[in-house]
Amino acid sequence: MRVKLSAEVTGLEEDIAAIEQRFAAALTGALPALKDEMAQCLAEHVQRDVYDQFTPTEYQRRGDDGGLADIEGNASFTVGEDSVAMDYQPSGESEQVENPLNGDALIGRIEHLNPEYDWTRKPPARPFFENFVTELIEGGRAEETLVRAINARDGGLFIEANGYAGRDGDEGY
């Protein structure tokens, strides 16, 4: 005896479209959490990779007011419907320096070593921004944060991190 069964799946396209809409809404709502995590991660790398590595003797370190750790002052974030972009550009300018030297005054300072400064010293590399990007992408911190935030917005989606995230080549460091 031979039995032939056939089945038809109906409504699949509508179900997928509904899930896509739920995911898009959850993603849009989760992106501010990713933005906050990016700012936190960058601040951690500035502290760990730069500030904790040495204590300056030739200048007064600034943690804020335009210094590397002034994430709010140096970074601007753009949160879209499906992306977060960050532009981080510390200026190095400071109101702390009174009567900054330029031109002949700077040349005189260098020639007469007044104040003394070791012009031959080579400070160690401080690749804080590369470390920040590597931790976010290859370390999975951005993916984990985004998955956690999406699931918090819509727990019925059951999104899981797969542990793979590639760079798009536009990290700018």
Side-chain angles (χ1 to χ4, degrees), residues 19-78:
I19 290 172
E20 286 177 343
Q21 286 179 337
R22 286 177 55 196
F23 178 79
L27 175 64
T28 300
L31 289 175
L34 179 58
K35 176 195 84 77
D36 293 343
E37 188 70 16
M38 290 169 66
Q40 177 64 33
C41 185
L42 180 57
E44 290 169 8
H45 278 283
V46 167
Q47 184 64 45
R48 181 174 47 230
D49 301 342
V50 180
Y51 289 4
D52 289 350
Q53 294 302 311
F54 73 100
T55 302
T57 58
E58 291 86 13
Y59 62 90
Q60 181 180 0
R61 171 169 284 156
R62 292 176 293 141
D64 52 12
D65 191 31
L68 290 180
D70 185 7
I71 307 302
E72 271 190 35
N74 294 325
S76 62
F77 292 90
T78 305

Side-chain angles (χ1 to χ4, degrees), residues 140-157:
R141 185 167 173 174
E143 180 183 15
E144 290 169 11
T145 299
L146 193 55
V147 166
R148 193 170 37 254
I150 288 172
N151 285 329
R153 301 287 297 182
D154 187 338
L157 290 173

